[in-house]
Amino acid sequence: MAHLRRFFGLSILLSSLAVASARLRDGRLHANIMRPATAPLVSAPQSSSPVTSRNGTILPPYNTTFFFDQLIDHNNPSLGTFKQRFWHTWEFYEKGGPIILNTPGEANAEGFDGYLTNLTINGQIAQQQNGSTIVIEHRFFGLSNPHPDLSVESFKVLNIQQAIDDLEYFAKNVNLPMPGGDSVTPDKAPWILVGGSYAGALTSWTMVNKPNLFAAGYASSAVVEAIVDFWGYFEPIRQNMPANCSADVQAVIARVDETFLGKNETAIQAIKDNFGIGDVTHLDDAAGALRNNLWDWQDLQPVSGPGTQFTEFCDALEVKDGVSAPASGWGVDHALAAWGEYWRSTYLNLICGTDNAQDCLGTYNTSQSFWLDTTIDNADRSWMWFVCNQVGFLQDGAPVTSPTLVTRLVQPIYDLRQCQQMFPAAFPVPTSPNVLATNKNYDGWNVQIKNLFFATATRDPWREATLSADGLNKISTPSQPIGESDGFHCSDLLTENNVDATIASVQAKGLSSIKTWLAAWKPTNNGAPVTSPRSVPAPPQNASPITHVKPINAWFKSFGTAGF
């Protein structure tokens, strides 16, 4: 559908993602920077047109921007406030209905106004429960900035706890523009927190940290467990992509790694030239660049259809003279040549445009402006601060005990060096994000909170950080259900994806759970929600030194044989 656009998809227009630093055609600052845990971008149809409510009242357009005076620092309210943007409609609202709150998380929230409508699960909840919907911009993303730049000094108030406190302060203090909007605080009306991906994790972390503040929560593809060495990102891709493509990709990567770790300079240069990146100086940059083809999987949805970037990639490798390869693939020699041809003729231009390969793919040149550009509305920089301090999610090669779709030359130190280059004042040497503290403070995989629905998906590349990670065996309960579909990343957030019966089933289960929970909700008597917030310290800027030991995670077990 024309109004649904995937954030960071290759079809996104440059103008919709422009910031001070030059960006690649897919929206990132650099082609060897990891993909963020972002929910799909959904714009409302005719978002600039007035909206008609159930009773015929004309309401402001979906894209109307409102502002809330949010605290700069919840630990020091004397520092004052900043303007936090939000979008709001009461299209389905009836008195007594819930307030459905959503943040897109690590993105400029402009254009996410589709999450106000029944094109998404948010609007479906509002329609079912007679509620109103809100999209609020996360601090330090878009134009909601406590400080005028994205410097290390400014980022002292960018952490998970401040983001959680933002949601609480907003819910307790906002005067919504709808009728009666000054009388719907969480003690008087039920609030429902909804989020996908990082924002899905934030939903879980908030409900753990602020028990009883929200009457219910819906967390889609929620990456609740912070993981430094997140090689598991590529496991759902390996398990679910076409077997022939998986087999040949693994074979090519094995050949690339073997060659790059050897001493045959002629063979090394031949492989780089094969992909059209002969001038890329560092071999980890050259091999790591091939992750881009696997990252394209994150753009897929059940309604994507043929012709996606990922399917074109696999077709380039596996279709020869009109014939598709068997499950075992065509073999490394053909796949290496075909992959190289696809890069030289098509893909390199798609990700790099007019940039030369070294500038586009090299990560060692600290004179490039994007490393130290502190201009606001730079989602990559703000997200990297989370990555480097609290969540990790470094998308690197698998340990030698497991098959891998991406090079093993890229290890955590590769990405953590980028943290040092982007934030030298905070990281004089590469250090590892304190994920142990994050998981301890917000329960991670151990979350056990009432009235929180988790939606997961087997084909989601972020699955291994969710409650459906391989080997975790988390039990679904009536108070904390887990609905797993055959979908992709955050597929259940989009109602167009209910063409897949498994996704429709998850959405129905979530709507049913929320209906049951809200039926039992009652306002509090003392004028404020009963909460016992945890006291969580801000993360240290210099955490524990990086180690080179691969951690044992929930998915570290015997794998299937698909793709071998």
Side-chain angles (χ1 to χ4, degrees), residues 19-44:
V19 296
S21 296
R23 287 187 177 273
L24 304 180
R25 288 184 60 177
D26 69 354
R28 285 176 298 156
L29 290 174
H30 191 273
N32 258 322
I33 286 181
M34 302 169 295
R35 292 290 297 261
T38 313
L41 176 65
V42 182
S43 295

Side-chain angles (χ1 to χ4, degrees), residues 412-451:
I413 188 63
Y414 178 86
D415 298 302
L416 295 175
R417 173 182 49 78
Q418 295 183 19
C419 293
Q420 182 188 14
Q421 293 175 188
M422 191 167 283
F423 310 111
F427 307 109
V429 296
T431 56
S432 187
N434 196 349
V435 297
L436 293 178
T438 300
N439 295 327
K440 177 182 178 182
N441 291 335
Y442 307 110
D443 287 356
W445 281 324
N446 296 318
V447 58
Q448 196 64 51
I449 198 78
K450 67 177 183 178
N451 296 2

Side-chain angles (χ1 to χ4, degrees), residues 57 87 110 150 227 309 496 503 561:
T57 303
W87 293 259
E110 192 167 346
L150 304 182
I227 301 167
Q309 208 64 58
E496 66 166 357
I503 295 172
T561 57

Side-chain angles (χ1 to χ4, degrees), residues 494-561:
L494 313 181
T495 53
E496 66 166 357
N497 284 328
N498 63 15
V499 295
D500 183 303
T502 65
I503 295 172
S505 176
V506 167
Q507 292 170 340
K509 185 176 181 180
L511 289 168
S512 177
S513 295
I514 289 173
K515 184 176 183 179
T516 299
W517 297 333
L518 290 194
W521 183 89
K522 292 180 174 60
T524 57
N525 295 321
N526 60 1
V530 179
T531 61
S532 302
R534 298 183 182 184
S535 177
V536 178
Q541 290 189 15
N542 293 293
S544 56
I546 181 174
T547 64
H548 296 281
V549 179
K550 289 276 182 179
I552 297 177
N553 292 307
W555 59 75
F556 198 83
K557 64 183 187 66
S558 298
F559 290 91
T561 57

